[in-house]
Amino acid sequence: MESIAKWGRIIAYVAYASYAVNIVVVLFGKNVAGSMAGGLAGAIFTAILGGILNYFLLKFSNHTLVAIANNSELDMEKAAENLNYYNKMTGILLIIVFAFMVLAFVFAGLFSR
């Protein structure tokens, strides 16, 4: 569990750093795609969704490490609760993305003729 918690913490911190770098690149990088507003909106939207998602992963990791260090059942319950939230949110996001992909394929098939 300790290894899982440490890797979860690393993943959350790296994700937060990548969101920040992505926003900085969109703001100050060269505008290759031609639509900076769409790029910025996408970067901010991704940072918000990913930030919320990784918040629960980070809380899981922190509570797990405290539970191991202090042999605390309460902290382990909080860790499990946060992992549950993380998994639920990941599942919901995957279902939404899958639904959009199905819609894209349906519309591409309808309008390709």
Side-chain angles (χ1 to χ4, degrees):
M1 286 300 288
E2 185 176 5
S3 177
I4 293 169
K6 286 180 181 179
W7 277 107
R9 184 184 275 181
I10 290 169
I11 291 167
Y13 287 145
V14 168
Y16 285 136
S18 71
Y19 302 142
V21 167
N22 191 23
I23 290 173
V24 169
V25 166
V26 169
L27 283 175
F28 301 111
K30 295 196 181 227
N31 190 5
V32 178
S35 173
M36 185 174 159
L40 181 60
I44 291 173
F45 181 73
T46 301
I48 290 171
L49 277 181
I52 292 169
L53 188 64
N54 284 298
Y55 169 77
F56 291 113
L57 181 61
L58 188 59
K59 283 187 74 168
F60 156 74
S61 299
N62 291 337
H63 281 295
T64 301
L65 292 172
V66 169
I68 291 170
N70 298 336
N71 200 17
S72 170
E73 188 174 322
L74 180 63
D75 282 312
M76 199 61 193
E77 288 175 9
K78 288 181 184 178
E81 185 177 296
N82 284 298
L83 185 60
N84 186 27
Y85 291 147
Y86 174 80
N87 287 330
K88 280 182 184 178
M89 289 185 65
T90 302
I92 290 168
L93 288 174
L94 286 174
I95 290 169
I96 291 170
V97 168
F98 182 72
F100 278 122
M101 288 175 64
V102 168
L103 285 174
F105 283 123
V106 167
F107 283 118
L110 289 176
F111 294 115
S112 66
R113 297 176 187 169

